Tab-separated table of all heavy atoms in Angstrom:
chain	number	residue	atom	x	y	z
A	1	CYS	N	45.666	-34.865	-14.711
A	1	CYS	CA	44.272	-34.423	-14.581
A	1	CYS	C	43.350	-35.246	-15.469
A	1	CYS	O	42.251	-35.628	-15.058
A	1	CYS	CB	44.153	-32.942	-14.940
A	1	CYS	SG	44.943	-31.854	-13.748
A	2	VAL	N	43.802	-35.518	-16.689
A	2	VAL	CA	43.000	-36.334	-17.613
A	2	VAL	C	42.815	-37.735	-17.057
A	2	VAL	O	41.712	-38.295	-17.091
A	2	VAL	CB	43.660	-36.387	-19.008
A	2	VAL	CG1	42.953	-37.405	-19.897
A	2	VAL	CG2	43.638	-35.010	-19.655
A	3	LYS	N	43.885	-38.309	-16.519
A	3	LYS	CA	43.815	-39.660	-15.961
A	3	LYS	C	42.825	-39.726	-14.809
A	3	LYS	O	41.992	-40.643	-14.722
A	3	LYS	CB	45.205	-40.095	-15.488
A	3	LYS	CG	45.260	-41.519	-14.944
A	3	LYS	CD	46.682	-41.892	-14.535
A	3	LYS	CE	46.739	-43.297	-13.968
A	3	LYS	NZ	48.125	-43.661	-13.551
A	4	GLN	N	42.886	-38.733	-13.915
A	4	GLN	CA	41.975	-38.703	-12.774
A	4	GLN	C	40.530	-38.496	-13.230
A	4	GLN	O	39.605	-39.117	-12.704
A	4	GLN	CB	42.385	-37.585	-11.808
A	4	GLN	CG	43.724	-37.800	-11.121
A	4	GLN	CD	43.712	-39.017	-10.213
A	4	GLN	OE1	44.184	-40.082	-10.591
A	4	GLN	NE2	43.156	-38.868	-9.026
A	5	ALA	N	40.352	-37.614	-14.208
A	5	ALA	CA	39.004	-37.354	-14.717
A	5	ALA	C	38.435	-38.581	-15.401
A	5	ALA	O	37.261	-38.931	-15.205
A	5	ALA	CB	39.030	-36.168	-15.678
A	6	MET	N	39.241	-39.262	-16.204
A	6	MET	CA	38.779	-40.460	-16.908
A	6	MET	C	38.406	-41.567	-15.935
A	6	MET	O	37.409	-42.272	-16.128
A	6	MET	CB	39.853	-40.956	-17.880
A	6	MET	CG	39.967	-40.132	-19.147
A	6	MET	SD	38.415	-40.055	-20.082
A	6	MET	CE	38.095	-41.787	-20.372
A	7	ARG	N	39.189	-41.695	-14.881
A	7	ARG	CA	38.869	-42.704	-13.865
A	7	ARG	C	37.520	-42.403	-13.221
A	7	ARG	O	36.700	-43.297	-12.997
A	7	ARG	CB	39.975	-42.748	-12.813
A	7	ARG	CG	39.736	-43.771	-11.706
A	7	ARG	CD	40.902	-43.776	-10.727
A	7	ARG	NE	42.142	-44.182	-11.372
A	7	ARG	CZ	43.342	-44.101	-10.787
A	7	ARG	NH1	43.442	-43.603	-9.559
A	7	ARG	NH2	44.416	-44.504	-11.421
A	8	ALA	N	37.288	-41.117	-12.937
A	8	ALA	CA	36.022	-40.709	-12.321
A	8	ALA	C	34.850	-40.955	-13.267
A	8	ALA	O	33.784	-41.419	-12.861
A	8	ALA	CB	36.079	-39.233	-11.930
A	9	ILE	N	35.047	-40.651	-14.554
A	9	ILE	CA	33.982	-40.851	-15.543
A	9	ILE	C	33.655	-42.330	-15.708
A	9	ILE	O	32.487	-42.734	-15.703
A	9	ILE	CB	34.397	-40.239	-16.902
A	9	ILE	CG1	34.506	-38.709	-16.782
A	9	ILE	CG2	33.406	-40.614	-18.002
A	9	ILE	CD1	35.224	-38.057	-17.948
A	10	LEU	N	34.682	-43.150	-15.823
A	10	LEU	CA	34.477	-44.584	-16.057
A	10	LEU	C	33.871	-45.298	-14.854
A	10	LEU	O	33.262	-46.361	-15.005
A	10	LEU	CB	35.811	-45.243	-16.443
A	10	LEU	CG	36.390	-44.805	-17.796
A	10	LEU	CD1	37.789	-45.372	-17.994
A	10	LEU	CD2	35.481	-45.233	-18.947
A	11	THR	N	34.035	-44.712	-13.673
A	11	THR	CA	33.457	-45.314	-12.466
A	11	THR	C	32.204	-44.566	-12.014
A	11	THR	O	31.730	-44.777	-10.888
A	11	THR	CB	34.489	-45.343	-11.321
A	11	THR	OG1	34.961	-44.012	-11.072
A	11	THR	CG2	35.667	-46.240	-11.673
A	12	ASP	N	31.682	-43.693	-12.859
A	12	ASP	CA	30.458	-42.929	-12.575
A	12	ASP	C	30.568	-42.129	-11.284
A	12	ASP	O	29.610	-42.008	-10.515
A	12	ASP	CB	29.233	-43.856	-12.511
A	12	ASP	CG	28.969	-44.533	-13.846
A	12	ASP	OD1	29.317	-43.952	-14.888
A	12	ASP	OD2	28.409	-45.645	-13.845
A	13	GLN	N	31.751	-41.571	-11.045
A	13	GLN	CA	31.960	-40.765	-9.842
A	13	GLN	C	31.312	-39.396	-10.052
A	13	GLN	O	31.587	-38.730	-11.046
A	13	GLN	CB	33.461	-40.613	-9.575
A	13	GLN	CG	33.804	-39.991	-8.241
A	13	GLN	CD	35.299	-40.060	-7.959
A	13	GLN	OE1	35.981	-40.980	-8.417
A	13	GLN	NE2	35.820	-39.089	-7.219
A	14	PRO	N	30.465	-38.939	-9.138
A	14	PRO	CA	29.762	-37.665	-9.346
A	14	PRO	C	30.676	-36.451	-9.365
A	14	PRO	O	30.385	-35.451	-10.017
A	14	PRO	CB	28.792	-37.593	-8.158
A	14	PRO	CG	28.670	-38.999	-7.672
A	14	PRO	CD	29.999	-39.634	-7.934
A	15	MET	N	31.799	-36.509	-8.624
A	15	MET	CA	32.677	-35.345	-8.519
A	15	MET	C	34.099	-35.786	-8.265
A	15	MET	O	34.350	-36.767	-7.560
A	15	MET	CB	32.200	-34.420	-7.387
A	15	MET	CG	33.045	-33.182	-7.191
A	15	MET	SD	32.379	-32.196	-5.817
A	15	MET	CE	33.500	-30.792	-5.845
A	16	ILE	N	35.057	-35.061	-8.846
A	16	ILE	CA	36.458	-35.339	-8.596
A	16	ILE	C	37.212	-34.019	-8.450
A	16	ILE	O	37.134	-33.151	-9.311
A	16	ILE	CB	37.086	-36.198	-9.733
A	16	ILE	CG1	38.586	-36.394	-9.527
A	16	ILE	CG2	36.804	-35.594	-11.099
A	16	ILE	CD1	38.938	-37.320	-8.399
A	17	CYS	N	37.891	-33.852	-7.311
A	17	CYS	CA	38.752	-32.696	-7.077
A	17	CYS	C	40.199	-33.185	-7.072
A	17	CYS	O	40.503	-34.197	-6.433
A	17	CYS	CB	38.446	-32.034	-5.740
A	17	CYS	SG	36.885	-31.157	-5.675
A	18	THR	N	41.056	-32.487	-7.787
A	18	THR	CA	42.474	-32.855	-7.800
A	18	THR	C	43.319	-31.633	-7.472
A	18	THR	O	43.072	-30.557	-8.013
A	18	THR	CB	42.889	-33.398	-9.181
A	18	THR	OG1	42.460	-32.485	-10.197
A	18	THR	CG2	42.303	-34.754	-9.445
A	19	PRO	N	44.314	-31.791	-6.584
A	19	PRO	CA	44.556	-32.955	-5.732
A	19	PRO	C	43.513	-33.036	-4.617
A	19	PRO	O	42.685	-32.134	-4.481
A	19	PRO	CB	45.949	-32.689	-5.170
A	19	PRO	CG	46.034	-31.197	-5.108
A	19	PRO	CD	45.285	-30.705	-6.313
A	20	ARG	N	43.593	-34.067	-3.803
A	20	ARG	CA	42.583	-34.287	-2.769
A	20	ARG	C	42.552	-33.169	-1.736
A	20	ARG	O	41.542	-32.955	-1.068
A	20	ARG	CB	42.828	-35.631	-2.068
A	20	ARG	CG	42.571	-36.834	-2.963
A	20	ARG	CD	42.727	-38.135	-2.197
A	20	ARG	NE	42.497	-39.289	-3.053
A	20	ARG	CZ	41.298	-39.793	-3.313
A	20	ARG	NH1	40.228	-39.241	-2.784
A	20	ARG	NH2	41.160	-40.849	-4.097
A	21	LEU	N	43.644	-32.437	-1.632
A	21	LEU	CA	43.694	-31.317	-0.687
A	21	LEU	C	42.587	-30.309	-0.980
A	21	LEU	O	42.132	-29.590	-0.072
A	21	LEU	CB	45.061	-30.630	-0.760
A	21	LEU	CG	45.282	-29.425	0.155
A	21	LEU	CD1	45.141	-29.825	1.622
A	21	LEU	CD2	46.648	-28.802	-0.103
A	22	MET	N	42.123	-30.244	-2.236
A	22	MET	CA	41.074	-29.291	-2.600
A	22	MET	C	39.771	-29.580	-1.859
A	22	MET	O	38.995	-28.666	-1.589
A	22	MET	CB	40.837	-29.317	-4.110
A	22	MET	CG	42.005	-28.820	-4.943
A	22	MET	SD	42.490	-27.118	-4.556
A	22	MET	CE	43.971	-27.386	-3.590
A	23	TYR	N	39.525	-30.845	-1.541
A	23	TYR	CA	38.345	-31.174	-0.736
A	23	TYR	C	38.433	-30.503	0.626
A	23	TYR	O	37.447	-29.965	1.139
A	23	TYR	CB	38.228	-32.687	-0.544
A	23	TYR	CG	37.883	-33.473	-1.778
A	23	TYR	CD1	38.822	-34.303	-2.379
A	23	TYR	CD2	36.606	-33.413	-2.341
A	23	TYR	CE1	38.507	-35.049	-3.507
A	23	TYR	CE2	36.284	-34.154	-3.462
A	23	TYR	CZ	37.240	-34.973	-4.044
A	23	TYR	OH	36.923	-35.703	-5.157
A	24	MET	N	39.627	-30.519	1.219
A	24	MET	CA	39.822	-29.936	2.541
A	24	MET	C	39.644	-28.424	2.502
A	24	MET	O	38.996	-27.840	3.390
A	24	MET	CB	41.228	-30.291	3.069
A	24	MET	CG	41.522	-29.733	4.450
A	24	MET	SD	40.364	-30.307	5.724
A	24	MET	CE	40.815	-32.049	5.794
A	25	VAL	N	40.198	-27.776	1.460
A	25	VAL	CA	40.059	-26.322	1.347
A	25	VAL	C	38.586	-25.947	1.207
A	25	VAL	O	38.102	-25.000	1.830
A	25	VAL	CB	40.869	-25.791	0.155
A	25	VAL	CG1	40.664	-24.289	-0.007
A	25	VAL	CG2	42.354	-26.097	0.339
A	26	THR	N	37.855	-26.703	0.393
A	26	THR	CA	36.431	-26.445	0.197
A	26	THR	C	35.667	-26.639	1.501
A	26	THR	O	34.779	-25.838	1.844
A	26	THR	CB	35.857	-27.389	-0.875
A	26	THR	OG1	36.606	-27.235	-2.082
A	26	THR	CG2	34.401	-27.091	-1.156
A	27	PHE	N	36.013	-27.685	2.235
A	27	PHE	CA	35.353	-27.955	3.516
A	27	PHE	C	35.639	-26.844	4.518
A	27	PHE	O	34.727	-26.357	5.200
A	27	PHE	CB	35.827	-29.298	4.066
A	27	PHE	CG	35.285	-29.629	5.426
A	27	PHE	CD1	33.943	-29.938	5.603
A	27	PHE	CD2	36.115	-29.616	6.541
A	27	PHE	CE1	33.434	-30.235	6.856
A	27	PHE	CE2	35.621	-29.910	7.799
A	27	PHE	CZ	34.274	-30.217	7.959
A	28	MET	N	36.898	-26.412	4.601
A	28	MET	CA	37.270	-25.358	5.537
A	28	MET	C	36.548	-24.065	5.200
A	28	MET	O	36.083	-23.343	6.077
A	28	MET	CB	38.787	-25.140	5.502
A	28	MET	CG	39.597	-26.342	5.964
A	28	MET	SD	39.313	-26.767	7.701
A	28	MET	CE	40.234	-25.482	8.518
A	29	LYS	N	36.425	-23.772	3.905
A	29	LYS	CA	35.744	-22.543	3.492
A	29	LYS	C	34.276	-22.568	3.901
A	29	LYS	O	33.680	-21.529	4.215
A	29	LYS	CB	35.864	-22.375	1.982
A	29	LYS	CG	35.227	-21.097	1.451
A	29	LYS	CD	34.522	-21.339	0.141
A	29	LYS	CE	33.664	-20.143	-0.243
A	29	LYS	NZ	32.843	-20.389	-1.419
A	30	SER	N	33.679	-23.749	3.906
A	30	SER	CA	32.249	-23.856	4.205
A	30	SER	C	31.948	-23.760	5.695
A	30	SER	O	30.814	-23.454	6.074
A	30	SER	CB	31.691	-25.172	3.653
A	30	SER	OG	32.246	-26.286	4.326
A	31	ILE	N	32.941	-23.998	6.565
A	31	ILE	CA	32.663	-23.995	8.007
A	31	ILE	C	33.320	-22.837	8.752
A	31	ILE	O	32.884	-22.494	9.847
A	31	ILE	CB	33.090	-25.331	8.664
A	31	ILE	CG1	34.606	-25.536	8.558
A	31	ILE	CG2	32.341	-26.499	8.034
A	31	ILE	CD1	35.115	-26.710	9.369
A	32	LEU	N	34.357	-22.244	8.153
A	32	LEU	CA	35.064	-21.168	8.843
A	32	LEU	C	34.428	-19.813	8.562
A	32	LEU	O	33.873	-19.598	7.484
A	32	LEU	CB	36.533	-21.132	8.399
A	32	LEU	CG	37.422	-22.289	8.832
A	32	LEU	CD1	38.809	-22.130	8.229
A	32	LEU	CD2	37.513	-22.372	10.359
A	33	PRO	N	34.512	-18.878	9.493
A	33	PRO	CA	34.087	-17.495	9.215
A	33	PRO	C	34.955	-16.905	8.105
A	33	PRO	O	36.095	-17.346	7.891
A	33	PRO	CB	34.325	-16.769	10.545
A	33	PRO	CG	34.464	-17.838	11.570
A	33	PRO	CD	34.996	-19.041	10.878
A	34	PHE	N	34.419	-15.900	7.408
A	34	PHE	CA	35.128	-15.332	6.265
A	34	PHE	C	36.511	-14.827	6.645
A	34	PHE	O	37.485	-15.042	5.916
A	34	PHE	CB	34.306	-14.197	5.636
A	34	PHE	CG	34.986	-13.559	4.464
A	34	PHE	CD1	35.065	-14.220	3.243
A	34	PHE	CD2	35.558	-12.293	4.577
A	34	PHE	CE1	35.704	-13.645	2.160
A	34	PHE	CE2	36.197	-11.708	3.493
A	34	PHE	CZ	36.262	-12.385	2.275
A	35	GLU	N	36.627	-14.148	7.796
A	35	GLU	CA	37.926	-13.600	8.193
A	35	GLU	C	38.941	-14.711	8.445
A	35	GLU	O	40.142	-14.536	8.217
A	35	GLU	CB	37.774	-12.715	9.443
A	35	GLU	CG	37.038	-11.411	9.179
A	35	GLU	CD	37.703	-10.569	8.100
A	35	GLU	OE1	38.948	-10.614	7.989
A	35	GLU	OE2	36.985	-9.869	7.361
A	36	ALA	N	38.462	-15.864	8.926
A	36	ALA	CA	39.370	-17.001	9.130
A	36	ALA	C	39.834	-17.554	7.784
A	36	ALA	O	40.988	-17.969	7.636
A	36	ALA	CB	38.663	-18.089	9.934
A	37	VAL	N	38.933	-17.552	6.799
A	37	VAL	CA	39.304	-17.990	5.457
A	37	VAL	C	40.355	-17.053	4.868
A	37	VAL	O	41.316	-17.489	4.231
A	37	VAL	CB	38.062	-18.043	4.536
A	37	VAL	CG1	38.463	-18.345	3.103
A	37	VAL	CG2	37.077	-19.079	5.040
A	38	VAL	N	40.191	-15.755	5.102
A	38	VAL	CA	41.174	-14.774	4.637
A	38	VAL	C	42.540	-15.067	5.249
A	38	VAL	O	43.567	-15.046	4.554
A	38	VAL	CB	40.723	-13.335	4.993
A	38	VAL	CG1	41.845	-12.341	4.697
A	38	VAL	CG2	39.471	-12.960	4.224
A	39	CYS	N	42.572	-15.377	6.527
A	39	CYS	CA	43.837	-15.716	7.196
A	39	CYS	C	44.458	-16.966	6.593
A	39	CYS	O	45.683	-17.034	6.391
A	39	CYS	CB	43.610	-15.912	8.699
A	39	CYS	SG	43.197	-14.404	9.591
A	40	MET	N	43.629	-17.969	6.307
A	40	MET	CA	44.120	-19.203	5.693
A	40	MET	C	44.703	-18.907	4.313
A	40	MET	O	45.777	-19.412	3.963
A	40	MET	CB	42.984	-20.226	5.578
A	40	MET	CG	43.386	-21.532	4.912
A	40	MET	SD	42.049	-22.743	4.850
A	40	MET	CE	40.928	-21.962	3.673
A	41	TYR	N	43.994	-18.098	3.524
A	41	TYR	CA	44.481	-17.721	2.197
A	41	TYR	C	45.832	-17.014	2.294
A	41	TYR	O	46.746	-17.282	1.508
A	41	TYR	CB	43.464	-16.801	1.510
A	41	TYR	CG	42.372	-17.512	0.739
A	41	TYR	CD1	41.840	-18.714	1.204
A	41	TYR	CD2	41.868	-16.992	-0.437
A	41	TYR	CE1	40.843	-19.355	0.515
A	41	TYR	CE2	40.862	-17.629	-1.141
A	41	TYR	CZ	40.352	-18.807	-0.661
A	41	TYR	OH	39.360	-19.455	-1.343
A	42	ARG	N	45.932	-16.090	3.248
A	42	ARG	CA	47.187	-15.343	3.395
A	42	ARG	C	48.334	-16.249	3.804
A	42	ARG	O	49.468	-16.082	3.342
A	42	ARG	CB	46.997	-14.210	4.416
A	42	ARG	CG	46.160	-13.066	3.871
A	42	ARG	CD	45.894	-12.004	4.920
A	42	ARG	NE	45.148	-10.881	4.352
A	42	ARG	CZ	44.599	-9.914	5.058
A	42	ARG	NH1	44.699	-9.924	6.385
A	42	ARG	NH2	43.940	-8.938	4.454
A	43	PHE	N	48.042	-17.219	4.654
A	43	PHE	CA	49.082	-18.168	5.062
A	43	PHE	C	49.574	-18.980	3.863
A	43	PHE	O	50.768	-19.219	3.701
A	43	PHE	CB	48.544	-19.113	6.142
A	43	PHE	CG	49.498	-20.220	6.494
A	43	PHE	CD1	50.603	-19.968	7.297
A	43	PHE	CD2	49.296	-21.514	6.025
A	43	PHE	CE1	51.494	-20.994	7.612
A	43	PHE	CE2	50.178	-22.530	6.331
A	43	PHE	CZ	51.281	-22.270	7.133
A	44	LEU	N	48.642	-19.393	3.006
A	44	LEU	CA	49.002	-20.188	1.830
A	44	LEU	C	49.561	-19.329	0.690
A	44	LEU	O	50.144	-19.868	-0.257
A	44	LEU	CB	47.770	-20.949	1.319
A	44	LEU	CG	47.174	-22.004	2.252
A	44	LEU	CD1	45.865	-22.532	1.683
A	44	LEU	CD2	48.152	-23.151	2.463
A	45	GLY	N	49.360	-18.018	0.800
A	45	GLY	CA	49.761	-17.152	-0.307
A	45	GLY	C	48.768	-17.203	-1.444
A	45	GLY	O	49.076	-16.826	-2.577
A	46	ALA	N	47.545	-17.654	-1.134
A	46	ALA	CA	46.519	-17.803	-2.167
A	46	ALA	C	45.685	-16.545	-2.344
A	46	ALA	O	44.929	-16.438	-3.300
A	46	ALA	CB	45.591	-18.972	-1.819
A	47	ASP	N	45.845	-15.582	-1.426
A	47	ASP	CA	45.007	-14.382	-1.500
A	47	ASP	C	45.337	-13.528	-2.719
A	47	ASP	O	44.450	-12.960	-3.351
A	47	ASP	CB	45.141	-13.561	-0.210
A	47	ASP	CG	46.584	-13.191	0.099
A	47	ASP	OD1	47.491	-13.938	-0.303
A	47	ASP	OD2	46.802	-12.149	0.755
A	48	LYS	N	46.618	-13.456	-3.086
A	48	LYS	CA	47.039	-12.659	-4.236
A	48	LYS	C	47.811	-13.504	-5.250
A	48	LYS	O	48.647	-12.997	-5.989
A	48	LYS	CB	47.900	-11.483	-3.779
A	48	LYS	CG	47.169	-10.490	-2.882
A	48	LYS	CD	48.081	-9.344	-2.481
A	48	LYS	CE	47.350	-8.355	-1.572
A	48	LYS	NZ	48.231	-7.230	-1.152
């Protein structure tokens, strides 16, 4: 995490999510209905 953050800082990157899969989760949350997000969370085991 430190290595990725330092790389982002040194290259003036505005944002860094690690791992890259987090970008996809954030994108899915922004376009899917809430109930679909709940289903995705349950599939991943992220709900609890």
Side-chain angles (χ1 to χ4, degrees):
C1 291
V2 171
K3 183 178 179 181
Q4 293 296 99
M6 284 302 302
R7 180 178 297 171
I9 294 166
L10 293 173
T11 57
D12 297 332
Q13 189 172 330
M15 180 181 182
I16 175 72
C17 289
T18 50
R20 292 184 181 275
L21 179 61
M22 294 301 104
Y23 291 110
M24 180 59 68
V25 177
T26 304
F27 176 70
M28 296 296 285
K29 182 219 169 187
S30 66
I31 64 171
L32 291 176
F34 179 74
E35 290 303 327
V37 174
V38 171
C39 291
M40 178 178 69
Y41 273 36
R42 287 176 177 169
F43 173 76
L44 296 173
D47 56 332
K48 297 181 181 179

